[in-house]
Amino acid sequence: MLENLPIATLVAGINNSLDILQKRGIPISDWDQKKRELYRLKVFGGKVYFLAAELDRSEQKTNKENEADGSEKQAAEKRTERGQGNA
């Protein structure tokens, strides 16, 4: 059943799963660069890219506080603005 879904739908499902893991405090680390954590997949030009950031522990604590306030998107935007959200 999943094999027939469009790419965008599959990516949305993966992102939903990532959201759940992040809310549980479970990071998904880059195998080669352990300091980088996966936080989103994006479809751009028909290709799928992963977005990962190298976060320090103090920033992660701030992000968890932001999520508790319902501002998870703002935290992700801040990471991207600082240039840390590059794939």
Side-chain angles (χ1 to χ4, degrees), residues 10-25:
L10 288 170
V11 169
I14 293 169
N15 283 333
N16 285 334
S17 296
L18 287 172
D19 287 340
I20 293 167
L21 290 170
Q22 289 169 352
K23 287 177 184 176
R24 291 183 181 184

Side-chain angles (χ1 to χ4, degrees), residues 21-80:
L21 290 170
Q22 289 169 352
K23 287 177 184 176
R24 291 183 181 184
I26 300 170
I28 301 173
S29 300
D30 184 318
W31 184 266
D32 295 322
Q33 298 178 22
K34 303 289 189 229
K35 292 181 181 180
R36 287 173 47 112
E37 292 181 9
L38 173 70
Y39 65 90
R40 186 77 50 233
L41 296 181
K42 276 288 224 194
V43 178
F44 187 73
K47 294 183 180 182
V48 180
Y49 296 90
F50 70 90
L51 303 173
E54 189 171 313
L55 305 174
D56 62 13
R57 296 298 165 206
S58 62
E59 185 175 338
Q60 285 181 341
K61 183 177 179 182
T62 302
N63 288 342
K64 287 180 183 178
E65 291 169 358
N66 288 342
E67 289 173 11
D69 294 337
S71 58
E72 178 183 355
K73 289 183 180 180
Q74 290 175 349
E77 289 171 358
K78 287 179 185 177
R79 288 191 299 261
T80 304

